[in-house]
Structures are given as C-alpha cells and as structure tokens.
Amino acid sequence: MTELSGNFQLTASNSQFLLSADNIGVRLSERWIFRYVNIGVESGQLVCIIGGNGAGKSTCVKTLLGLIPLTEGKIEKQKSLTIGYVPQKLTITPILPMTVYRLLTLGKHRCKRTEIEHVLFVVGLEKLGNPLVTTLSGGEFQRLMLARAILRKPQLLVLDEPLQGVDIANTDILNDLILTIRDELQCGVLVVSHDIERVFQDADDVLVLVPHEHDEVKTDNPVWNRSG
C-alpha cells in the first residue's frame, strides 16, 4: 500500500529558490506519473527538464505551477512570485478571430501599447503588425507566446516544449532568445526540452525524469549540475 505525504499545498519559501520541490510525486488512475522529484530554480538560472515520452514532464511542470494537485511531497515558492507560463499546446480556433495584440492583452489590465511594442521588439516580432494569430508560422507563434509571458515581467519563466512546431532553422534562434530574456530580466527559467545538445550547453541544472513503474521500488530522477 502506498504511503502518501500530507504536504499537498504550495507553501511560502524563505530559501534562495524562487520555486522548489522536495520529493514530489503525482499518482493518477492508480499509476504514478512521476515520483521522487527534487528540483529548484533560482533567479538568473536556467533549469531544464528532460525525459522520454511518458516520463511525466508536462505533468511535472503543471504540478510545480499548482495546476495539478500533489500526491506526495512539498512545493515551496517565494511569496508574491510572478510567473510567466508558456504551455506545451495552445490551440487558437479560427472560428473566433484573434489578433496578435488581442492575444497579448487577454486577461491583462491597463496594458500600454508601448509595453506591447516593447515585448514584440524583444522577441523579434516588431515588424509583424497586428495580423490574425492563425496566420503565424510555428516559430512566430512561439515567439508571440514568449512575448505574452514576459509582458508580466516575470520573476520565473516556465516554458513547456517551447520549440514545438518550430522548424530546425529557427530552433537555435529561439534558444538564444530564451537566454537573452533570462539575462535581461534576471529571471529564473524552467524549460521542458527535447533539444539535448542545447540543454547541456546552456542549462545550470538538468532534471532527468524517468518512468516510475513500481510502488515498491524507488526510482531516482538524476539531476545534472553544471557546477558539480
């Protein structure tokens, strides 16, 4: 029988980490999606999560953000932490036309046009204008989602597969852009990625998620650290 921890909620943190997890796990439909995960992100750090299909990478990110409840373990975050989040998949239906400016300002109040123009400049879309989002290429759409995330001036930027739908020619450009945003905002960045070469080239820490198949066996998720 599986023993569950009682620390299910996000709690305030006094540590140097913007966000940290201590032995967290999520169990859904009688199966562990992931377990024994330890991770922390500091200001100015790039932390990556990698792993095979079905290892629970996206579920782990959503759990860290509080979108999926914990089964065990504890998550701590800095008080009043501002997070910019780019999900793995976001579908814009053509039935409801959505322009670039409209997408950027959804759910935001008192957003100045100069702020919109600035974030579009940061991500290299300053010449795009205000077309329908459905007319954008995969690379342009991902840049737009980055622009929307940094419009909040986040302390922590969370990106779930930001290279999805981006052609090979633009992957390095987008990877470089993520580093530029981190350096300019001095924010922490947590990225789920399949670009293994760039992950180990750029990341400060790398969490390798491995499938957890048996309740009785503890399967560690190794963490690679640049300084270690």
Side-chain angles (χ1 to χ4, degrees):
M1 183 175 180
T2 305
E3 182 179 350
L4 303 182
S5 166
N7 296 311
F8 300 161
Q9 74 283 355
L10 286 170
T11 58
S13 171
N14 294 317
S15 73
Q16 76 273 23
F17 293 116
L18 298 169
L19 182 73
S20 64
D22 180 17
N23 276 319
I24 65 170
V26 167
R27 185 180 176 93
L28 299 173
S29 301
E30 302 302 317
R31 183 176 75 88
W32 285 102
I33 307 302
F34 65 86
R35 204 176 184 192
Y36 307 122
V37 167
N38 296 279
I39 193 171
V41 187
E42 300 178 27
S43 296
Q45 269 196 327
L46 173 63
V47 178
C48 293
I49 300 176
I50 62 174
N53 293 332
K57 300 183 295 296
S58 291
T59 303
C60 183
V61 164
K62 291 176 182 177
T63 304
L64 290 168
L65 293 174
L67 302 176
I68 294 177
L70 283 170
T71 304
E72 64 181 10
K74 181 173 65 174
I75 296 173
E76 294 185 335
K77 68 181 182 68
Q78 290 286 352
K79 186 177 180 180
S80 303
L81 179 67
T82 304
I83 298 175
Y85 174 45
V86 178
Q88 183 181 24
K89 294 179 181 178
L90 181 64
T91 303
I92 305 296
T93 175
I95 298 175
L96 184 64
M98 180 79 66
T99 65
V100 165
Y101 279 32
R102 178 58 179 155
L103 179 62
L104 286 174
T105 56
L106 273 178
K108 301 182 185 300
H109 303 285
R110 299 179 182 178
C111 184
K112 298 178 181 178
R113 187 180 182 89
T114 53
E115 293 176 312
I116 294 175
E117 291 173 347
H118 175 69
V119 295
L120 288 174
F121 173 79
V122 169
V123 300
L125 295 179
E126 68 275 11
K127 297 180 180 179
L128 190 63
N130 191 29
L132 292 175
V133 172
T134 51
T135 66
L136 303 182
S137 68
E140 288 172 334
F141 183 74
Q142 287 302 96
R143 290 190 193 200
L144 181 61
M145 293 302 294
L146 270 175
R148 188 173 190 275
I150 65 175
L151 194 56
R152 300 189 64 196
K153 300 179 177 64
Q155 297 163 287
L156 175 63
L157 185 60
V158 180
L159 311 173
D160 191 355
E161 298 281 6
L163 301 181
Q164 183 169 279
V166 178
D167 59 54
I168 296 176
N170 284 301
T171 54
D172 279 342
I173 294 173
L174 198 57
N175 276 321
D176 290 341
L177 177 59
I178 292 168
L179 294 178
T180 298
I181 290 171
R182 177 201 61 181
D183 294 342
E184 290 193 2
L185 295 181
Q186 275 301 295
C187 61
V189 182
L190 178 63
V191 182
V192 174
S193 180
H194 281 297
D195 191 347
I196 304 301
E197 182 177 348
R198 281 300 297 255
V199 162
F200 285 99
Q201 175 182 321
D202 299 332
D204 296 292
D205 292 333
V206 180
L207 169 67
V208 184
L209 276 185
V210 296
H212 187 90
E213 299 178 352
H214 304 288
D215 287 354
E216 298 80 9
V217 180
K218 181 176 181 180
T219 305
D220 290 324
N221 301 280
V223 176
W224 176 85
N225 182 276
R226 180 172 300 280
S227 62

